[in-house]
């Protein structure tokens, strides 16, 4: 069964895992994880005057959000007794100036569920959006659009 209920308090009641990463040198430096699994050169995108010869925080956020949302989608499908083989989630993370004289983000998720009809796919996506930690963290903070492709 797909949960159609309201979103409750989304703060964790118990922390079961903590990821740690450290940035060195901002957008023109590198980022590492404390367990050594991540070590990436960072570079400012050309649109902001950089050489783009490395990853950037927006790409890392897009990778994390798409992976987390896809996992939530598969979990919702499994709970409903569905096999979501061949499904994918792509994320685009945009950055630009905001009215507070800083910068803000916007996210566009594109979900592909090739073996599921559109009505059921929409319900699965809605349920995944309610349980995904990234969706819960961004809800009412940044624009997040979700399109079924």
């Amino acid at each position: 069964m797909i949960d159609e209920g309201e979103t409750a308090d989304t703060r964790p009641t118990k922390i079961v895992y903590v990821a740690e990463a450290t940035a060195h040198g901002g957008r023109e430096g590198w980022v590492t994880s404390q367990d050594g699994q991540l070590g990436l050169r960072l570079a400012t995108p050309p649109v902001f005057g950089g050489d783009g010869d490395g990853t950037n925080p927006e790409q890392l956020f897009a990778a994390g959000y798409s992976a987390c949302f896809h996992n939530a989608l598969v979990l919702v499908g499994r709970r409903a007794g569905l096999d979501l083989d061949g499904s994918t989630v792509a994320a685009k993370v945009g950055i630009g100036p905001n009215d507070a004289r800083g910068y803000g983000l916007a996210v566009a998720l594109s979900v592909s569920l090739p073996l599921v009809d559109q009505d059921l796919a929409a319900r699965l996506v809605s349920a995944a959006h309610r349980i995904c930690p990234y969706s819960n963290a961004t809800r009412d903070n940044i624009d997040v659009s979700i399109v079924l492709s």
Side-chain angles (χ1 to χ4, degrees):
M1 164 120 337
I2 299 169
D3 178 20
E4 300 285 341
E6 296 273 328
T7 301
D9 185 351
T10 60
R11 293 174 292 189
T13 57
K14 177 182 175 183
I15 301 296
V16 295
Y17 171 73
V18 175
E20 295 182 57
T22 303
H24 312 264
R27 286 184 173 270
E28 294 296 327
W30 68 97
V31 63
T32 58
S33 63
Q34 269 58 22
D35 64 3
Q37 294 297 310
L38 180 69
L40 298 170
R41 176 176 157 22
L42 299 174
T44 302
V47 70
F48 289 121
D51 64 14
D53 190 25
T55 192
N56 60 64
E58 294 72 37
Q59 289 173 328
L60 295 171
F61 191 78
Y65 202 159
S66 63
C68 191
F69 194 91
H70 193 247
N71 195 70
L73 188 62
V74 169
L75 176 64
V76 167
R78 188 178 311 127
R79 288 177 178 169
L82 300 170
D83 180 2
L84 299 184
D85 278 351
S87 63
T88 61
V89 176
K92 293 181 181 180
V93 174
I95 184 171
N98 63 23
D99 290 337
R101 296 176 21 142
Y103 288 85
L105 299 174
V107 174
L109 298 176
S110 178
V111 179
S112 174
L113 292 163
L115 304 178
V116 179
D117 73 65
Q118 285 294 98
D119 290 337
L120 178 56
R123 291 196 330 260
L124 291 168
V125 166
S126 179
H129 192 45
R130 280 192 303 280
I131 67 168
C132 173
Y134 276 69
S135 292
N136 289 332
T138 60
R139 188 171 288 111
D140 299 325
N141 294 314
I142 66 174
D143 289 334
V144 176
S145 65
I146 305 174
V147 175
L148 278 167
S149 57

